[in-house]
Amino acid sequence: MNIHEYQAKKILSRYGVTIPRGKIAYTPNEAKNAALHVSLRGPWMLKAQIQSGAREKGHFIEEKAGKGGGIRLIHRRRDIVAEAEKMLGSTLQTLQTGPKGKTVGRIYVEAFAKVRAKFYAGLVIDRVTPALTLLVCKLDERQDIMATAVNRPDKILRLKLDLERGARKTQIEEVRRYLDLPERSFHFLREFIKGMYKAFIDYDATMIEINPAGVTRRGRIVALDAKMSFDNNALYRHPDIALLQDEYESEEREIKAAKFGFQYRDFDDGSIGCIVNGDGIALTAMDLIRRNGLDTSCFLNVKGGVDKDKIAAGIKIIMTNPKVEGILINILGGFLRCNLLAEGIVAAASEVGLNVPLVVRFEGINKDEAKDILHNAKLPIIVAYDMEDSIDKLVRAVKESY
Amino acid sequence: MSILVDKNTKVLVQGITGTQASFHIRRSVDYGTNVVAGVTPGKGGITYMDIPVFNAVKEAVDETGANASVMFVPARAVKSAVKEAVEAELSLVVCIADGVPIKDMLEIKNILKGSNTKFVGPNTPGVITPGESRLGIFPENILKKGKVGVVSRSSTLTYEAVLEINRARLGESTVIGLGDDMVIGMDFIDPLRLFTDDEETEAIVFIGQLEGAFEEAAARYYASMPRRKPVIGFVAGNTIPFGHKMGYAGDVLAQGKVTAEDKKEAMRAAGMTVVDEINSIHKELQKLFAPHA
């Protein structure tokens, strides 16, 4: 689960990470008051609160929002209301949001912090080691951190932190030297890294990114942006974080799926909807669909314990996606009762009305009975005998229906 | 022979009285698994499905000589259950629970360090040696005893891999599901080493997955082995666009770019046979075992 920048900053500041003064605003008028609250003379930053990186380089779909990106520097107090009006309610599109973009419902008004240098700091889990890992990188204006990680991985300093104690003094010194920070920054850097680490551990985070952090003239370290992701499996320990979930950030189908304990993923292109019971099988199905000349538009992982009602709910989630032109159901389980699965498929198909080809492949017990149920339903349902066969049949059926 | 578990493994069940445990332990016992004890705190002294139940792992081990545990405790209780199993010096723990917090798993890795306990999972279908011992929830009805070892990160693809082995008219020596959570106990390296030492195993089916560089690490290890058995590998996840929201951005940051194609390349370079389609596994197995046919 992710939270917004301003929420992450609030948490981090409680752990000793320095942040610029800021206040959240839902309306242009609130933005004006927030601006006066954080700084009398400015300049100010107006920052769209959507959960996406690269907001600065993004652009708004609506014309009224003007040419600026999702993060705007405002010098004159009288411009604040007008700029806030442009941003609020508009749709911000970034490299990470995809073409649909995300609607800006609130903006964070922040006092502009003047810094001499910027760097990236991240805390992630390196899962192979596995270890809590601190990542630091000097920022290059031309390349973002993900591009650097891909093209110049040697430019990122990676330090494994002790799970119980965090960064050692020598590690902090290593970071200072790596970033060419003055000696007087050591103390500020230590507080900064300690704050990130403690927030990470206390809140069961899976990732914290400060991108960028700034270094002031006096050598202080300021978090100019902040991103925190949390372990969904540990949210029970953090009801305060669970409350921050912003449902506007998730697809309607994602939320619906989550209610059944399913995982729904949506892709920008593609025409095939898949219902599977595992990530590995989802990935394999997607690979095969691509190899047959089509693409996956969405998949639903129904995980373990599929029963009649659950599968029916799952099918409805996929069937009501207008992009879907063919559906693949591929479910494997030793104890899966295929007959119940078949009943669920027929129930959902009859209720929603099946107007695209549906191919079903299952392994489990009562397979023959299940085939009879599907056959007798007189619906356009095709039964396949293995993975390859299921995708062959589906792709053929979809292409024929064009 | 086989690896990790066989008919002599004395199995203890942590969290034996739960619904899921009851269903699967019944099946495991019917399959011939030597289940000697159950542990459920507060229920010590009772007999459940003819299995004596104890309050603590140590007590169960002292009484019955159990040396492996299959854990059906809920995700939240996994960490303390592992601590108990390690203190009782069990040689193997198989953890079925789904949804174990990542921080708990990192702490568990620290607990395991310096112990002789091997931990498989979490979120695994389990470890099973056909006809001998079943620790977990893997469908035993599709297995056949044989000479192909299976190790897989994906639960559902383990199933698919077994079907492929059966299609080649072969059987399995031991099947191991590693689980695909962010932090897992056992990775590919132990199974590669153990299968190599196992006389019965003649080939290994290796199922990798996008995310995390476990396959690369395994490939490096395999390349360095003085004696090797043929490995037929598969990696799911070619289609996922790089950097798509499905992946964990931390993987890229921590290790650089990792695609399914890179993994396959690393595996090929190490000398494994890599198939592009999971349904080609049976063909490679046939080639391997009947080269002149």
Side-chain angles (χ1 to χ4, degrees), chain A residues 27 39 63 70-72 94 114 123-124 127 133 150 156 161 238 243 274 283 290 294 299 331 377 380:
Chain A
T27 67
S39 163
E63 247 176 58
I71 293 175
R72 296 179 178 186
T94 72
K114 202 171 167 204
L123 260 187
V124 301
R127 49 174 151 193
T133 304
V150 172
I156 299 175
L161 302 192
H238 311 288
L243 282 176
C274 298
L283 294 171
R290 163 74 58 85
L294 291 178
F299 77 73
I331 305 224

Side-chain angles (χ1 to χ4, degrees), chain B residues 164-179:
Chain B
E164 284 293 299
I165 294 167
N166 296 349
R167 207 164 155 189
R169 299 186 181 286
L170 295 162
E172 303 79 30
S173 56
T174 298
V175 176
I176 305 163
L178 301 175

Side-chain angles (χ1 to χ4, degrees), chain A residues 126-127 201 206 231 287 291, chain B residues 102-103 239 248 251 277:
Chain A
D126 177 355
R127 49 174 151 193
I201 296 293
T206 53
D231 183 356
D287 289 352
R291 213 162 286 152
Chain B
I102 295 162
K103 190 171 75 182
T239 316
Y248 171 56
D251 276 348
E277 280 161 30

Side-chain angles (χ1 to χ4, degrees), chain A residues 38 96 137 155 157 173 246 285 326:
Chain A
V38 300
Q96 290 174 18
C137 182
K155 282 197 152 187
L157 177 69
E173 180 60 15
D246 183 355

